[in-house]
Structure formats: structure tokens, C-alpha cells
Amino acid sequence: MPLLQFERLATLTGVLRDRTVRLAVTGLSGSGKTAFITSLLHNLLSAVGHPTRLPFLRAAAERRLVAVHLDAPPAETIARFPVGDAIAALAADPPDWPASTTDLRQADLTLRFTPAGFLGRAAGGTAELRLEILDYPGEWLLDLPLLGQSYREWSRASLEQARQGVRAVLARDWLDFLARHPADGAADPEVAQRAHCLYRGFLAASRTRERLSLLQPGRFLNPGEIADQSLLWFCPMPFAIGGNAREGSMAALMEARFEAYKQTIVRPFFAQLARGVDRQIVLVDVLRALNDGEEAFADQRLALETILTAFRFGRRNLLRLLFGARIDRVLFAATKADHVPAVQRDHLEALMANLVTTPTLRAEGAHARVAATALASIRCTEDGTDVIDGHRVDVVVGLPEGGHRRIRFFPGIVPVTRPPAGFWGERFTEFPVFQPPRIAPAAGAGVPHINLDKALEFLLGDILA
Ligand code: GDP
């Protein structure tokens, strides 16, 4: 091929291939977002010199990744993901878990790679993928249904929920306060703020004491940066049947704030998500919910259903209906899969798939747009066996945080579908927090993981092809 043509083809491939992709990472608090992003960054940065760390990411395994580097933060408003601090924590002696991020964060990477196809090989050129990784609290997704609800409808549904199950005990102070300050009384901003604090306290206790997940509005526990905090000073109130909020009443004040919260915080967030994100991974701590018992598990499932309404493909998707959507691949991942041995990890993947009614990564056709998997971003254990009551069982072996001796941990059996009633009698043993493996601070060997590469192949493989 004459040189001139060769060069033109290389430029052409460059033009065709160079691309910016925004990958959003979300999950409820504690689901493993920080660990996932830290491992993803460190492993991609290490992948050029150490392709065996990501064997199922084809571009890495085929040695087509030529260079990967972190980009300097653009002068934008989104805070940087603290990658240096996160890697330093894992490189410390003893290694520590990186501190969880609780707000919107971004990290940018550039991956230079050789395209896989004939054109790429013939041209001999490389292409560039700018990967913008966006980390946001999954709690914010729980607000999507609010956009389709009036204050009255939301109040009714929230009060009904608050009077049921373990919530009823935790909601008592707030409900007593509402009984003393009726919705049709004169609007009083101080009373509204006090009612909001009690309601927020009820949500916080539901999360910490009962480990519940469906806690709305999502910003009450994970506000992020909100300039005017008074936007949040509302809560559900009981209405008289058929009654409307009378002008100048408490209900009218609460309603105005509820609507302002939707317009100034919830709507812009979802508009940004729908228009600015290409790929999405939702991390779910399924094992912890199994650990926490029947009500916590059922509540996590309801929260997941709400999150699914944002990412389901097809015409019923509220996000698409309201804002359109660019997102074309979504992966649901059960995290911390290194708490269970190999066979149980397959169960965990099946359970994750069952909870969101999608195929597993293993079963997905090449072009599936939504799939489920189980992964460990930072693998802390090895598989082993033990003998319990004369039976040989599979266990995981790891060092508990702060401990001196590795333990053999038998987690119980992970159900492959929603657990039957009898399951809850014999709850899992409480999972230990394992010490993460110590890593080298400079990119090189990467971070041990389970299925991180398969997740990346699903999310980015077509772009790196
Ligand atoms: P975030 O709040 O979603 O950012 O959650 P983090 O990433 O901070 O994870 C919360 C905790 O879960 C960590 O401090 C670890 O104790 C644990 N964790 C997260 N990922 C893993 C993993 O892959 N394996 C194990 N064993 N524990 C994990």
C-alpha cells in the first residue's frame, strides 16, 4: 500500500474510533462503588504491562491495549474521585479499605488501543477511548417515581409504608409529632423543619438498625451538595380524605417544598443521567441483604425494582419517557462475591439475575443490553474446604480486618432464586470484614478481583473491539 494511502487510512480509523464514553457506577451506600472504581482504575492502568490480570477483557488479553493513563481533571464542577488516596489505603501496611465516597465523583482515563478488526490491523493505527467514570449514590435513583407522583400521592404511599413491619416502631416519634401538628394547621417553617428532622431520623434508623433500602427521598440520607438545604425541609403528611392542601396550611408549605425539590434537584439529575451516560453498572450487596434477614431482603428487592424502572429498556421506561436516554448497556452486579466459594458465586450470579429478571452475563447473547453478574472488585479470600459435622464443605479463607490469623469461613448456601420462607430460619453467619490484599502503589501487578474483567468486557468490549 502506498505510504500516502496508508496514512490516510490510519487517520480515518482514528477519526472513526476515537470516542468518549461515560460509564456511570452506582449502588446504595456500602454496596462497593469505591472499591469497584479503585480496582477498575488500578487494573486498567496495570493492564498494558500485566494483561493476565484481566483475561476476559479481550483488548487486554489480546495485548491490544497500547497505553492507559489517568487524565488531569478538567476544570468542571464535579469533584474528582480520590484515586490517589484510595490506592494509598490499599498500599498501606496493613492495607486498609478506601474511604467510601458519598457524593458525585468523576475519574477520567484514556485508553489507547489497536482496533481488532481488519481495518485496524491493516491501518496499523491506534484508536483512543476517553473513559469518564461517574460515581453517584444509588439512593438518588430512588427518587425517580416521585416525578410521577403528586405530594398527596407520595404522602399516602409513604405513610402506609411507614406504618408497616419494622418501620412502624422506628416511625413512632415522627408519626406522634404529625398527630400533634395537623396538615391543615397554619404553616410554620419551624414545625416543618422539626417534622423533616424526625422523618429523616426515621429513615436513618431504618437504614442503620434494620438495614432497609427503600428510603425516600434518596437525598434525605445522601444529600450531595445542595446549596439551599431548606429545599429538603419537608416530609409526608396525612391528608383528610378528598381534601386538598389549603392555602397557608402546613400541607401547602410541605407540598411547595416537595415540588421545588423535584424541580430543582431530582429532574436535573435524571436529565443529566439520561443524556450524559452511555453505560451503567449498578452494584448490589445481595449477600448482605441475605445476611440481614427477610424484611431487609424484601426491601432491597423493592429498591431494586425502583432502580430498574430507570434502566429498563423499552417503552415503559420512565427515564426514557421523560428525558430520552443514551444509556445502551446496563449491568447489575452482586458485589463482594469473594465472601462465598466458587459454586456459591454461580448461585449469587443466578440470584442477582433473578432479582432483576435479566439474563446472567454467562447466558447473555452477544448483543444483550442488560445483564447480571457476581463480582469481587478486590478479592480478599481464597477458596478452600473444611469439615463441618463430618461433612466436607466449601469455604473461603481470609484474614479478618484487624486479625492475626486467617480464618476458614463457611457462609451458608446462597439460594439461586428468591429464598423460600424456610430459608430465613437459618440465617447466614454474619460476614466478616476481610482485610484487603496489599497492593503496590504504582501501576504494575494490579488488584486481585473476581469477574471485574468480564464486567468490563460487557460494558466496554464493543468499544475496544
Ligand atoms: P460504597 O459506599 O458503595 O462506596 O462502598 P465501598 O466501596 O466503600 O465498600 C464498602 C465496604 O464493603 C468496604 O469497606 C469493604 O469492607 C467491603 N467491600 C467492598 N468491595 C469488596 C470486595 O470486593 N470484597 C470484599 N471482601 N469486601 C468488599
Side-chain angles (χ1 to χ4, degrees):
M1 188 184 289
L3 186 63
L4 197 64
Q5 270 186 20
F6 182 89
E7 272 175 1
R8 277 190 52 206
L9 191 52
T11 326
L12 189 65
T13 14
V15 171
L16 286 174
R17 300 280 186 162
D18 287 1
R19 187 171 167 186
T20 297
V21 167
R22 191 172 280 174
L23 167 67
V25 179
T26 198
L28 298 180
S29 152
S31 58
K33 298 180 290 296
T34 311
F36 177 83
I37 294 173
T38 307
S39 177
L40 179 159
L41 292 174
H42 203 62
N43 278 317
L44 281 178
L45 288 166
S46 303
V48 177
H50 205 309
T52 51
R53 187 53 95 191
L54 299 172
F56 287 97
L57 178 63
R58 287 184 49 204
E62 292 166 1
R63 295 179 184 260
R64 290 190 289 102
L65 283 182
V66 179
V68 181
H69 60 83
L70 274 172
D71 290 324
E76 276 180 16
T77 45
I78 301 180
R80 294 283 97 197
F81 180 83
V83 58
D85 294 348
I87 290 174
L90 290 173
D93 186 15
D96 201 0
W97 288 98
S100 294
T101 52
T102 53
D103 197 354
L104 193 60
R105 294 274 183 271
Q106 189 172 326
D108 295 350
L109 271 184
T110 296
L111 291 90
R112 182 153 277 283
F113 64 99
T114 311
F118 168 76
L119 202 57
R121 280 200 307 276
T126 55
E128 212 165 75
L129 165 62
R130 234 182 86 81
L131 182 61
E132 296 181 359
I133 299 162
L134 206 65
D135 166 19
Y136 67 89
E139 282 79 358
W140 296 358
L141 293 171
L142 301 177
D143 283 348
L144 185 61
L146 267 54
L147 293 179
Q149 283 175 319
S150 66
Y151 175 63
R152 199 190 157 79
E153 287 163 344
W154 176 67
S155 284
R156 193 185 312 123
S158 306
L159 282 158
E160 199 180 304
Q161 188 196 43
R163 292 188 174 114
Q164 284 171 13
V166 289
R167 280 182 166 86
V169 180
L170 304 173
R172 203 171 288 149
D173 288 353
W174 166 61
L175 290 174
D176 285 352
F177 185 85
L178 289 187
R180 293 198 303 278
H181 299 89
D184 59 357
D188 179 341
E190 271 178 39
V191 172
Q193 191 178 350
R194 177 83 191 119
H196 162 78
C197 287
L198 288 168
Y199 178 67
R200 198 183 160 282
F202 151 62
L203 294 182
S206 303
R207 173 148 96 183
T208 50
R209 280 202 246 158
E210 296 297 337
R211 314 261 193 123
L212 300 182
S213 305
L214 187 59
L215 305 168
Q216 291 160 315
R219 304 268 177 163
F220 279 18
L221 295 181
N222 289 70
E225 270 176 31
I226 295 178
D228 179 5
Q229 288 287 319
S230 70
L231 274 175
L232 301 182
W233 294 342
F234 65 91
C235 69
M237 287 201 105
F239 278 75
I241 294 169
N244 277 326
R246 186 179 52 79
E247 214 180 306
S249 66
M250 275 302 290
L253 174 64
M254 294 283 196
E255 182 172 35
R257 286 184 176 164
F258 173 78
E259 292 301 333
Y261 173 76
K262 278 165 46 176
Q263 287 312 318
T264 55
I265 296 175
V266 182
R267 259 182 184 279
F269 165 69
F270 281 107
Q272 214 185 358
L273 182 70
R275 297 187 191 130
V277 169
D278 304 285
R279 306 277 154 106
Q280 173 74 58
I281 180 164
V282 181
L283 304 177
V284 191
D285 195 346
V286 176
L287 288 173
R288 189 170 111 173
L290 282 174
N291 232 313
D292 291 339
E294 189 166 8
E295 197 151 350
F297 187 81
D299 208 62
Q300 186 190 67
R301 207 170 57 76
L302 289 178
L304 264 175
E305 266 168 28
T306 307
I307 289 174
L308 254 182
T309 60
F311 298 129
R312 192 176 280 134
F313 289 94
R315 267 175 292 149
R316 281 187 307 131
N317 178 326
L318 193 55
L319 192 65
R320 278 166 189 267
L321 281 175
L322 292 176
F323 306 106
R326 235 167 89 170
I327 301 176
D328 58 359
R329 277 192 192 196
V330 182
L331 183 62
F332 287 89
T335 50
K336 311 179 195 179
D338 57 330
H339 278 108
V340 293
V343 179
Q344 303 292 330
R345 293 198 283 273
D346 293 347
H347 286 197
L348 185 60
E349 182 181 55
L351 178 60
M352 181 75 257
N354 182 280
L355 290 174
V356 290
T357 48
T358 58
T360 62
L361 253 195
R362 208 175 313 207
E364 61 100 9
H367 302 295
R369 292 187 295 176
V370 52
T373 192
L375 58 80
S377 307
I378 301 180
R379 183 177 194 167
C380 309
T381 66
E382 288 159 22
D383 291 354
T385 53
D386 204 354
V387 177
I388 298 180
D389 297 334
H391 297 286
R392 209 174 179 75
V393 290
D394 291 330
V395 297
V396 292
V397 187
L399 181 67
E401 203 171 42
H404 300 289
R405 225 167 36 85
R406 281 153 60 90
I407 56 165
R408 306 178 89 71
F409 175 68
F410 175 66
I413 306 294
V414 178
V416 288
T417 55
R418 239 178 290 159
F423 173 87
W424 301 106
E426 29 177 306
R427 293 243 299 250
F428 280 8
T429 340
E430 187 75 26
F431 286 116
V433 174
F434 285 112
Q435 180 176 297
R438 191 165 179 215
I439 63 162
V447 184
H449 65 86
I450 299 168
N451 289 347
L452 178 78
D453 49 352
K454 289 186 186 166
L456 290 178
E457 179 63 25
F458 176 76
L459 292 165
L460 303 173
D462 60 323
I463 300 164
L464 292 169

